[in-house]
């Protein structure tokens, strides 16, 4: 029986997880390995070590250890902003007049404004431990760049961020937050890298993409001694670090005897979704429990729902390893009217394998319906959600309304990954009726699929 | 003996205060009453009732009840974002290498981004209870307007906000957040009110001030049946509602056996400072304990440190009651290069009386030193502070550095009122070396003092 549930469940420091959970250990079909783009052979630890920090390479390749201890220094940093609250959405339930019980895990209460900090501090920590001078990365909407800047500033590491040009120009405040934390921010594509110059020559006037920015960041990391590249999503290691979200959620639910019927998360590269669902997916994989697990993606960037499951490049410059994932093709860029993040062409290999094996569902939603949900949520729950997070809100509301029709008292848990303070331009478009719901055509996608690398 | 202190102390729901504390009950010298601007007689409840909600008028005039019950509906709303954490600034202490123990009460973890929501929900609640259609208000930097919009949206009340024109133009995102919550936002001075037209005729091209916006909001409230005016600071009722900050702080400190040596808060109109210090001031007034209590204000708007203690108009249009307070004169407007809030010409009558009676200290700080502290704090504590809050950070750091010199292990508590997400223009100026430290001249202030109303 559920006890009397408070609005917000906070764990005590003593209840916080001391290890990350590695869902790969419980997967019968392991995620496909990263391949060397030239030889199409699995990337070795040594090859990966040229790009990534050594200990992160180990985590990337470790498909077997179910738990990996969180170093004390990272646990201390987590204490600055964790545990994040698990909130019972009493006000939303009341507004919807639904018998469903809705909970959300809110990751926005830190200055980076999102869950990205959970992996940023881990990656920066291992870079520091390896004695590196700094790290390079890319950022789109800016949450990841902000989180990494914060982590690097805390540890005294240099931080070079390639920011997708369109975001750099449209979000000067995001850039300014990164500067406050001492990061160097370069709009991408830039003339500072070979791959940037090549992309600019081929596509003059391009406003950039995550895929371009990744290529530039990798080039700079590989070309500068004492630097490595770090990434905020997609990779196995990122999902590992983000498992803290799901583990805290599960501990909080267990404490009150609550068993969710479904778990809903937005999905771009998969960092939040993979983290949120990991312990629940673990139970499901081990046959100990069953849950509906739902990935929500933008209709304008629908990798799960309309992509293909195949090896593809992780970046536009094709300098990174190949990953087997649901992908729209590495040349795909969502329409410029798409607001917020969730704009990566691919998807986490771990989540891709789980989806291919039928352990989770995926739905795509058009952005005006996402902003309707965002506004409805903000007005009753008092949190201004990020556009990304609002994808999960949309489907949580839809599911709660189904419960209203059927009278079922289902328990819905969703991930509220962050806040929308830097997305007011998008909110303004929505208020002014200037937001539309562009969706890529089948022909457009087929053209990208045709360019996928051929891997035997 | 202090127990092992966690990074963040959260109260349980069951430990949260159920009543606000009214510091006036423990003041021997009560704050001076508001006066009718025509007759110079104390405002009666009936007169005040034309402008303010009835129950708020009672709270405004109640100098005797030490505790006022918080209605259950407000307590339920508080649960959505309270208790706010009391954070031990371990990382800042380490960075400063100080023996001082530093704590801050963080009020920024809600969408309004500041403590203003504590009084906004209370004022909106009483308006709703009285059966009103809506409320009017003014906002400068935008925190108060955002908070009130959220509260009104939650309760289904209409909300009309007059936003100081310069902020309306410089902070379109703040405006957009208010729109998300369904508020009507009008730049002030506007042509929609008599007083606005008069001010525009006299000062064409003025970018507005809080004093102007108050006059317009009051005019609209008085002229529309079913509307009342609400205010986010200065008033006794606001300090009463904000006492929740100090009470939570005191309960959290008591729980761990911590006795602060000093309590530091930024001061504009006094809403945060008055709330934070209230239970500590109560002990001091009753002779049960002693604390240093320090108000920090901008050198560009120094009402405590360079103002006079006298009756003055609360607004530029001179339609509001007179209040006895430390004031720079109702015509005073801080230089345009002053960033953030804390720009009101006067100060809470309660705090003014306490300061006049020697129960607290005040210091003023130049804004570049404030932003230095803000950036230093952000980099180690991970929270991007509002410029307003950073005034308190500046003095907390200064006091901690004094402890480093003397070796004293003092316990410092300060109020971190909010986040700086909408203040990145100011951070950018600071980073680019374009921020200066304008301070009003004695001659300028004397000219304003000469225009103070003559009250016998």
């Amino acid at each position: 029986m559920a006890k009397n549930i408070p609005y917000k469940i906070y764990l005590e420091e003593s209840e916080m997880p001391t290890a990350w959970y590695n869902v790969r250990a419980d997967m019968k079909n392991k995620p496909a390995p990263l391949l060397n783009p030239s030889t199409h052979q699995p990337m070795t630890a040594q090859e990966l070590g040229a790009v990534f920090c050594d200990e992160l390479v180990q985590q990337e390749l470790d498909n077997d250890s179910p738990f990996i201890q969180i170093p004390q220094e990272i646990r201390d940093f987590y204490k600055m902003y964790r545990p994040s609250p698990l909130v019972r959405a009493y006000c939303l339930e009341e507004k919807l007049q639904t018998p469903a019980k809705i909970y959300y895990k809110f990751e926005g209460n830190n200055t980076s404004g999102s869950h990205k900090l959970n992996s940023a501090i881990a990656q920066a920590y291992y870079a520091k431990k390896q004695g590196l001078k700094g790290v390079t990365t890319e950022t789109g909407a800016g949450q990841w760049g902000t989180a990494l800047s914060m982590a690097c500033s805390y540890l005294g590491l240099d931080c070079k961020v390639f920011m997708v040009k369109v975001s750099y120009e449209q979000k000067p405040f995001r850039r300014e937050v990164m500067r406050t934390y001492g990061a160097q921010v370069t709009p991408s594509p830039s003339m500072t890298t070979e791959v940037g110059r090549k992309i600019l020559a081929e596509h003059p006037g391009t406003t950039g993409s995550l895929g371009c920015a990744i290529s530039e960041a990798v080039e700079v990391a590989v070309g500068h001694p004492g630097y490595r590249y770090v990434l905020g999503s997609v990779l196995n290691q990122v999902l590992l670090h983000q498992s803290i979200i799901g583990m805290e959620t599960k501990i909080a639910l267990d404490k009150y005897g609550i068993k969710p019927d479904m778990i809903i998360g937005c999905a771009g590269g998969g960092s939040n979704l993979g983290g949120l669902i990991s312990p629940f997916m673990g139970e499901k994989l081990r046959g100990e429990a069953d849950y509906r697990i739902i990935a929500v993606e933008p209709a304008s960037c629908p990798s799960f729902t309309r992509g293909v499951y195949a090896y593809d490049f992780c970046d536009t410059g094709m300098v990174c390893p190949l990953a087997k994932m649901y992908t729209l093709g590495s040349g795909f860029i969502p329409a410029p009217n798409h607001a917020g993040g969730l704009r990566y062409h691919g998807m986490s290999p771990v989540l891709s394998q789980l989806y291919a094996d039928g352990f989770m569902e995926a739905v795509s939603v058009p952005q005006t319906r996402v902003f309707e949900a965002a506004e409805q949520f903000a007005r009753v729950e008092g949190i201004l959600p990020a556009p990304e997070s609002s994808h999960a809100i949309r489907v949580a509301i839809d599911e709660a309304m189904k419960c209203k029709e059927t009278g079922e008292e289902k328990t819905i848990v969703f991930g509220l990954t962050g806040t929308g303070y830097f997305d007011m331009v998008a909110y303004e478009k929505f208020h002014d009726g200037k937001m539309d719901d562009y969706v890529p055509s089948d022909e457009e996608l087929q053209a990208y699929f045709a360019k996928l690398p051929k891997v035997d």
Side-chain angles (χ1 to χ4, degrees), chain A residues 31-361:
Chain A
L34 295 171
L35 299 186
N36 181 307
S38 313
T39 65
H40 290 191
Q41 293 302 304
M43 292 286 287
T44 62
Q46 199 183 355
E47 285 174 319
L48 287 170
V51 177
F52 299 111
C53 306
D54 295 342
E55 200 143 342
L56 293 168
V57 169
Q58 296 309 317
Q59 294 180 359
E60 191 63 29
L61 297 175
D62 186 342
N63 285 341
D64 303 309
S65 313
F67 292 98
I68 291 175
Q69 285 300 312
I70 308 174
Q72 187 60 47
E73 292 86 343
I74 298 176
R75 290 174 58 196
D76 285 344
F77 187 89
Y78 279 168
K79 286 182 197 168
M80 282 171 55
Y81 70 102
R82 306 202 68 81
S84 69
L86 181 71
V87 186
R88 172 74 182 268
Y90 282 118
C91 302
L92 181 62
E93 291 171 18
E94 163 112 10
K95 179 78 180 176
L96 300 176
Q97 291 285 306
T98 174
K101 293 170 180 59
I102 309 174
Y103 295 84
Y104 55 92
K105 179 71 168 169
F106 179 44
E107 292 287 318
N109 271 352
N110 68 73
T111 284
S112 79
S114 81
H115 67 292
K116 295 287 186 185
L117 197 53
N118 302 329
S119 185
I121 185 61
Q123 297 192 48
Y125 167 79
Y126 291 117
K128 179 81 178 178
K129 196 176 159 203
Q130 195 175 325
L132 298 177
K133 276 191 243 171
V135 291
T136 71
T137 198
E138 80 298 323
T139 198
Q143 283 100 331
W144 167 248
T146 309
L148 189 68
S149 305
M150 285 177 63
C152 287
S153 153
Y154 179 79
L155 293 169
L157 275 176
D158 189 35
C159 179
K160 298 181 195 295
V161 181
F162 287 87
M163 186 170 187
V164 176
K165 193 179 280 174
V166 61
S167 297
Y168 183 89
E169 285 163 2
Q170 285 179 357
K171 299 193 168 189
F173 295 165
R174 268 280 176 213
R175 181 190 70 204
E176 212 49 46
V177 177
M178 289 184 253
R179 274 179 87 194
T180 301
Y181 287 100
Q184 294 169 43
V185 189
T186 306
S188 166
S190 76
M191 294 299 283
T192 67
T193 65
E194 208 170 299
V195 66
R197 288 187 292 271
K198 184 159 170 277
I199 291 168
L200 282 170
E202 285 170 15
H203 308 278
T206 176
T207 54
S209 73
L210 274 176
C212 296
I214 293 173
S215 300
E216 290 202 85
V218 170
E219 180 184 319
V220 170
V222 173
H224 287 71
Y227 282 79
R228 291 294 185 284
Y229 167 71
V230 296
L231 179 64
S233 193
V234 183
L235 296 174
N236 300 343
Q237 61 189 263
V238 176
L239 268 69
L240 175 72
H241 306 147
Q242 295 293 0
S243 69
I244 187 87
I245 305 173
M247 297 177 81
E248 281 185 11
T249 303
K250 185 143 186 3
I251 294 169
L253 290 171
D254 287 348
K255 195 168 162 179
Y256 286 89
I258 305 158
K259 190 181 167 301
D261 294 291
M262 67 190 88
I263 300 143
I264 302 169
C266 61
S271 67
N272 153 69
L273 180 70
L276 173 67
I277 67 174
S278 61
F280 304 97
M281 183 61 84
E283 287 187 298
K284 195 166 174 171
L285 290 167
R286 296 189 303 269
E288 297 166 6
D290 197 18
Y291 308 98
R292 278 185 70 197
I293 295 179
I294 309 174
V296 190
E297 57 185 18
S300 52
C301 191
S303 36
F304 266 141
T305 49
R306 296 179 64 202
V308 290
Y309 187 36
Y311 267 105
D312 194 7
F313 290 99
C314 293
D315 65 325
T316 311
M318 304 182 181
V319 298
C320 290
L322 303 178
K324 189 173 179 192
M325 54 186 180
Y326 281 86
T327 180
L328 299 164
S330 66
F332 179 84
I333 300 179
N337 68 1
H338 169 78
L342 310 183
R343 40 174 70 235
Y344 187 62
H345 66 274
M347 181 58 69
S348 142
V350 168
L351 295 180
S352 293
Q353 186 65 51
L354 290 167
Y355 181 63
D357 289 343
F359 288 106
M360 48 189 280
E361 310 164 34

